[in-house]
Amino acid sequence: MSFFIYNRIRGDFMKIVEALSKKIQLTETEKEILEYMVENLDALPKLSSRKLAEKTYTSPTTIVRFVKKLGYQNYNDFKYNIISKLKNSDEESQINVHEKALSVLNKVEKMQKEAINDFKNKISLDTFQEIIDVCDQYQYIDIIANDCNAILGKYALHYLSSLGKIVQVYYETNQQIYASMNVPTDHLVIIISKYALHETLLNCALTLKRRHIKTIAITNHQENTLSKRCDYVIPIPFYTNKDRFDELQFHMMVKYIFDCLFSVLYSYDMEKAKQISKIHTDIFFDKM
């Protein structure tokens, strides 16, 4: 690895570490582990958790506990997401000042493909099929989300409504709280959150869990607080590196998930979907 590439990757790694460190409180031992990682980034991909434990005078259990605290399922998951992704973050994936439109089009296309491949590698197809089947069972689907995620919720509302689903998006705090308290048991609730840190969303998930309302979390990790409070989880690879347009990737993937969900559900009852579409078209053009 060249000196230039090593230093760029090291800088990207530090950005990720800083973003994660703001969300969790690190012990002195964990800070020392991080410091070793930063100083030995080039060797890190070759180190097992046991070897890293030896180098940092800790134990493999400490290493595994630490990477889980950072939000990863295990040490291999950490290495894949932190190291492998950073090594692939070459100049071709960066957007430059005053870049030409065609170049940006190609880079965004590459970004979308990488995000989709990461998602497909992470999620169990059996789990995703189970989630689709749950969505098929419920006619009433409520979506709780904030800001841009709420806009994606409205995107889902449009397409799921065309399948005969009755969909509501809750994006204001009071709406979200009252919805979690009052939605009937025949409703399915989807909660969208990148960081899974918003207190209202976490409290809504807990209220729904206590009321035995079925819930699906669309979030950045299978082991965060929101995920643990929901019945099903759709984990989206989400890298907190601002140069890689992390939010753009997350939103691309949420839209992709809703596109897949709509397409499968459409295939389950195409005749009904076509009938609803025809009625909608007739009403719309009658009013024109």
CSV table of all heavy atoms in Angstrom, one decimal, residues 105-130:
chain,number,residue,atom,x,y,z
A,105,LEU,N,-22.6,10.8,-12.6
A,105,LEU,CA,-23.6,9.8,-12.9
A,105,LEU,C,-23.0,8.4,-12.7
A,105,LEU,O,-23.6,7.5,-12.1
A,105,LEU,CB,-24.1,9.9,-14.3
A,105,LEU,CG,-25.1,11.0,-14.6
A,105,LEU,CD1,-25.4,11.1,-16.1
A,105,LEU,CD2,-26.4,10.8,-13.9
A,106,ASN,N,-21.8,8.2,-13.2
A,106,ASN,CA,-21.1,6.9,-13.1
A,106,ASN,C,-20.8,6.6,-11.6
A,106,ASN,O,-20.9,5.4,-11.2
A,106,ASN,CB,-19.8,6.9,-13.9
A,106,ASN,CG,-20.1,6.9,-15.4
A,106,ASN,OD1,-21.2,6.5,-15.8
A,106,ASN,ND2,-19.2,7.5,-16.2
A,107,LYS,N,-20.4,7.6,-10.9
A,107,LYS,CA,-20.0,7.4,-9.5
A,107,LYS,C,-21.2,7.0,-8.6
A,107,LYS,O,-21.1,6.2,-7.7
A,107,LYS,CB,-19.2,8.6,-8.9
A,107,LYS,CG,-17.8,8.7,-9.5
A,107,LYS,CD,-17.1,9.9,-8.9
A,107,LYS,CE,-15.7,10.0,-9.5
A,107,LYS,NZ,-14.9,11.2,-9.0
A,108,VAL,N,-22.3,7.8,-8.9
A,108,VAL,CA,-23.5,7.5,-8.1
A,108,VAL,C,-24.0,6.1,-8.4
A,108,VAL,O,-24.5,5.3,-7.5
A,108,VAL,CB,-24.6,8.5,-8.4
A,108,VAL,CG1,-25.9,8.1,-7.7
A,108,VAL,CG2,-24.2,9.9,-7.8
A,109,GLU,N,-23.9,5.7,-9.7
A,109,GLU,CA,-24.3,4.3,-10.1
A,109,GLU,C,-23.5,3.3,-9.4
A,109,GLU,O,-24.0,2.3,-8.9
A,109,GLU,CB,-24.2,4.2,-11.6
A,109,GLU,CG,-24.5,2.8,-12.1
A,109,GLU,CD,-24.2,2.6,-13.6
A,109,GLU,OE1,-23.6,3.4,-14.2
A,109,GLU,OE2,-24.6,1.5,-14.1
A,110,LYS,N,-22.2,3.6,-9.3
A,110,LYS,CA,-21.3,2.7,-8.6
A,110,LYS,C,-21.7,2.6,-7.1
A,110,LYS,O,-21.7,1.5,-6.5
A,110,LYS,CB,-19.8,3.1,-8.7
A,110,LYS,CG,-18.8,2.2,-8.0
A,110,LYS,CD,-17.4,2.8,-8.2
A,110,LYS,CE,-16.4,1.9,-7.4
A,110,LYS,NZ,-15.0,2.4,-7.5
A,111,MET,N,-22.0,3.7,-6.5
A,111,MET,CA,-22.3,3.8,-5.1
A,111,MET,C,-23.6,3.0,-4.8
A,111,MET,O,-23.7,2.2,-3.9
A,111,MET,CB,-22.6,5.3,-4.7
A,111,MET,CG,-22.8,5.5,-3.2
A,111,MET,SD,-23.4,7.2,-2.9
A,111,MET,CE,-22.1,8.2,-3.7
A,112,GLN,N,-24.6,3.1,-5.7
A,112,GLN,CA,-25.8,2.3,-5.6
A,112,GLN,C,-25.5,0.8,-5.7
A,112,GLN,O,-26.1,0.1,-4.9
A,112,GLN,CB,-26.8,2.7,-6.7
A,112,GLN,CG,-27.4,4.1,-6.5
A,112,GLN,CD,-28.3,4.5,-7.6
A,112,GLN,OE1,-28.0,4.2,-8.8
A,112,GLN,NE2,-29.3,5.3,-7.3
A,113,LYS,N,-24.7,0.4,-6.6
A,113,LYS,CA,-24.4,-1.0,-6.8
A,113,LYS,C,-23.7,-1.6,-5.5
A,113,LYS,O,-24.0,-2.7,-5.1
A,113,LYS,CB,-23.6,-1.2,-8.0
A,113,LYS,CG,-24.4,-1.1,-9.3
A,113,LYS,CD,-23.5,-1.3,-10.5
A,113,LYS,CE,-24.3,-1.1,-11.8
A,113,LYS,NZ,-23.4,-1.3,-13.0
A,114,GLU,N,-22.8,-0.8,-5.0
A,114,GLU,CA,-22.0,-1.2,-3.8
A,114,GLU,C,-23.0,-1.4,-2.6
A,114,GLU,O,-22.9,-2.3,-1.9
A,114,GLU,CB,-20.9,-0.2,-3.5
A,114,GLU,CG,-19.7,-0.2,-4.4
A,114,GLU,CD,-18.7,0.8,-4.0
A,114,GLU,OE1,-19.0,1.6,-3.1
A,114,GLU,OE2,-17.6,0.8,-4.6
A,115,ALA,N,-23.9,-0.4,-2.5
A,115,ALA,CA,-24.8,-0.4,-1.4
A,115,ALA,C,-25.7,-1.6,-1.5
A,115,ALA,O,-26.0,-2.3,-0.5
A,115,ALA,CB,-25.6,0.9,-1.3
A,116,ILE,N,-26.2,-1.9,-2.6
A,116,ILE,CA,-27.2,-3.0,-2.8
A,116,ILE,C,-26.4,-4.3,-2.6
A,116,ILE,O,-27.0,-5.2,-1.9
A,116,ILE,CB,-27.8,-3.0,-4.3
A,116,ILE,CG1,-28.8,-1.8,-4.4
A,116,ILE,CG2,-28.5,-4.3,-4.6
A,116,ILE,CD1,-29.2,-1.6,-5.8
A,117,ASN,N,-25.2,-4.5,-3.1
A,117,ASN,CA,-24.4,-5.7,-2.9
A,117,ASN,C,-24.1,-5.9,-1.4
A,117,ASN,O,-24.2,-7.0,-0.9
A,117,ASN,CB,-23.1,-5.6,-3.6
A,117,ASN,CG,-23.3,-5.9,-5.1
A,117,ASN,OD1,-24.3,-6.5,-5.5
A,117,ASN,ND2,-22.4,-5.3,-5.9
A,118,ASP,N,-23.8,-4.8,-0.7
A,118,ASP,CA,-23.6,-4.9,0.8
A,118,ASP,C,-24.8,-5.4,1.5
A,118,ASP,O,-24.8,-6.2,2.4
A,118,ASP,CB,-23.1,-3.6,1.3
A,118,ASP,CG,-21.7,-3.3,1.0
A,118,ASP,OD1,-21.0,-4.2,0.5
A,118,ASP,OD2,-21.2,-2.2,1.3
A,119,PHE,N,-25.9,-4.8,1.1
A,119,PHE,CA,-27.2,-5.2,1.7
A,119,PHE,C,-27.5,-6.7,1.5
A,119,PHE,O,-27.9,-7.4,2.4
A,119,PHE,CB,-28.3,-4.3,1.2
A,119,PHE,CG,-29.7,-4.8,1.6
A,119,PHE,CD1,-30.1,-4.6,2.9
A,119,PHE,CD2,-30.6,-5.4,0.7
A,119,PHE,CE1,-31.4,-5.0,3.3
A,119,PHE,CE2,-31.8,-5.8,1.1
A,119,PHE,CZ,-32.3,-5.6,2.4
A,120,LYS,N,-27.4,-7.1,0.3
A,120,LYS,CA,-27.7,-8.5,-0.1
A,120,LYS,C,-26.7,-9.5,0.6
A,120,LYS,O,-27.1,-10.6,1.0
A,120,LYS,CB,-27.6,-8.7,-1.6
A,120,LYS,CG,-28.8,-8.0,-2.3
A,120,LYS,CD,-28.5,-7.9,-3.8
A,120,LYS,CE,-28.5,-9.3,-4.5
A,120,LYS,NZ,-28.4,-9.1,-6.0
A,121,ASN,N,-25.5,-9.0,0.9
A,121,ASN,CA,-24.6,-9.9,1.6
A,121,ASN,C,-24.9,-10.0,3.1
A,121,ASN,O,-24.5,-10.9,3.8
A,121,ASN,CB,-23.1,-9.4,1.4
A,121,ASN,CG,-22.6,-9.6,0.0
A,121,ASN,OD1,-23.0,-10.6,-0.6
A,121,ASN,ND2,-21.7,-8.8,-0.4
A,122,LYS,N,-25.5,-8.9,3.6
A,122,LYS,CA,-25.8,-8.8,5.0
A,122,LYS,C,-27.1,-9.5,5.5
A,122,LYS,O,-27.1,-10.2,6.5
A,122,LYS,CB,-25.8,-7.3,5.5
A,122,LYS,CG,-24.5,-6.8,6.0
A,122,LYS,CD,-24.7,-5.4,6.6
A,122,LYS,CE,-23.5,-5.0,7.4
A,122,LYS,NZ,-23.3,-5.8,8.6
A,123,ILE,N,-28.1,-9.4,4.7
A,123,ILE,CA,-29.4,-9.8,5.2
A,123,ILE,C,-29.7,-11.3,4.8
A,123,ILE,O,-29.2,-11.7,3.7
A,123,ILE,CB,-30.6,-9.0,4.6
A,123,ILE,CG1,-31.9,-9.3,5.4
A,123,ILE,CG2,-30.7,-9.1,3.1
A,123,ILE,CD1,-32.9,-8.2,5.2
A,124,SER,N,-30.3,-12.0,5.7
A,124,SER,CA,-30.7,-13.4,5.4
A,124,SER,C,-31.9,-13.4,4.4
A,124,SER,O,-32.9,-12.7,4.7
A,124,SER,CB,-31.0,-14.1,6.7
A,124,SER,OG,-31.9,-15.2,6.4
A,125,LEU,N,-31.8,-14.1,3.3
A,125,LEU,CA,-33.0,-14.1,2.4
A,125,LEU,C,-34.2,-14.7,3.0
A,125,LEU,O,-35.3,-14.3,2.7
A,125,LEU,CB,-32.6,-14.9,1.1
A,125,LEU,CG,-31.5,-14.2,0.2
A,125,LEU,CD1,-31.2,-15.1,-1.0
A,125,LEU,CD2,-32.0,-12.8,-0.2
A,126,ASP,N,-34.0,-15.7,3.9
A,126,ASP,CA,-35.1,-16.3,4.6
A,126,ASP,C,-35.8,-15.2,5.5
A,126,ASP,O,-37.0,-15.1,5.6
A,126,ASP,CB,-34.7,-17.4,5.5
A,126,ASP,CG,-34.3,-18.6,4.7
A,126,ASP,OD1,-34.7,-18.7,3.5
A,126,ASP,OD2,-33.5,-19.5,5.2
A,127,THR,N,-35.0,-14.4,6.2
A,127,THR,CA,-35.5,-13.3,7.0
A,127,THR,C,-36.3,-12.3,6.2
A,127,THR,O,-37.4,-11.9,6.6
A,127,THR,CB,-34.4,-12.6,7.8
A,127,THR,OG1,-33.8,-13.6,8.7
A,127,THR,CG2,-35.0,-11.5,8.7
A,128,PHE,N,-35.7,-11.9,5.1
A,128,PHE,CA,-36.3,-10.9,4.2
A,128,PHE,C,-37.7,-11.5,3.7
A,128,PHE,O,-38.7,-10.7,3.6
A,128,PHE,CB,-35.4,-10.5,3.1
A,128,PHE,CG,-35.8,-9.3,2.4
A,128,PHE,CD1,-36.1,-8.1,3.1
A,128,PHE,CD2,-35.9,-9.2,1.0
A,128,PHE,CE1,-36.5,-6.9,2.5
A,128,PHE,CE2,-36.3,-8.1,0.4
A,128,PHE,CZ,-36.6,-6.9,1.1
A,129,GLN,N,-37.7,-12.7,3.3
A,129,GLN,CA,-38.9,-13.4,2.8
A,129,GLN,C,-40.0,-13.4,3.9
A,129,GLN,O,-41.2,-13.1,3.7
A,129,GLN,CB,-38.6,-14.8,2.3
A,129,GLN,CG,-39.9,-15.5,1.8
A,129,GLN,CD,-40.4,-14.8,0.5
A,129,GLN,OE1,-39.7,-14.6,-0.4
A,129,GLN,NE2,-41.7,-14.4,0.6
A,130,GLU,N,-39.5,-13.7,5.2
A,130,GLU,CA,-40.5,-13.7,6.3
A,130,GLU,C,-41.1,-12.3,6.5
A,130,GLU,O,-42.3,-12.1,6.8
A,130,GLU,CB,-39.7,-14.1,7.6
A,130,GLU,CG,-40.6,-14.3,8.8
A,130,GLU,CD,-39.9,-14.8,10.0
A,130,GLU,OE1,-38.7,-15.1,9.9
A,130,GLU,OE2,-40.5,-14.9,11.0
